[in-house]
């Protein structure tokens, strides 16, 4: 390990970064894909696109969290 990785100042940062990143991914996935679902439902008149977009956004965000922190 390098000297930079062993410093005590950076020991807690990885956990803090993950603690802020995971909810941020989930919220942004819900907002972005839910917003796209809202726009699509407004455009087509079919209101089922909003929950589909929110669920799709949470699923994709959870997959990104798995790729970044779960391996």
């Amino acid at each position: 390990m390098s000297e930079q990785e062993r410093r005590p100042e950076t020991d807690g940062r990885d956990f803090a970064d993950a603690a802020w990143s995971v909810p941020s991914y989930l919220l942004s996935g819900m907002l972005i894909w839910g917003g796209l679902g809202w726009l699509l439902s407004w455009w087509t008149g079919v209101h089922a696109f909003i929950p589909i977009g929110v669920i799709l956004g949470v699923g994709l965000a959870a997959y990104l969290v798995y790729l970044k922190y779960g391996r």
Side-chain angles (χ1 to χ4, degrees):
M1 294 187 128
S2 68
E3 286 292 322
Q4 186 178 18
E5 292 178 16
R6 291 187 198 178
R7 291 192 342 214
E9 301 92 34
T10 61
D11 285 343
R13 275 196 197 146
D14 293 335
F15 178 75
D17 288 345
W20 282 102
S21 294
V22 171
S24 298
Y25 277 127
L26 293 173
L27 281 173
S28 63
M30 281 192 302
L31 289 174
I32 290 172
W33 287 96
L36 289 174
W38 176 76
L39 285 173
L40 194 59
S41 69
W42 178 72
W43 185 47
T44 62
V46 179
H47 297 290
F49 288 120
I50 298 170
I52 290 171
V54 170
I55 291 170
L56 182 66
V58 169
L60 290 173
Y63 180 66
L64 286 175
V65 168
Y66 167 73
L67 288 178
K68 189 167 185 177
Y69 298 109
R71 290 185 182 190

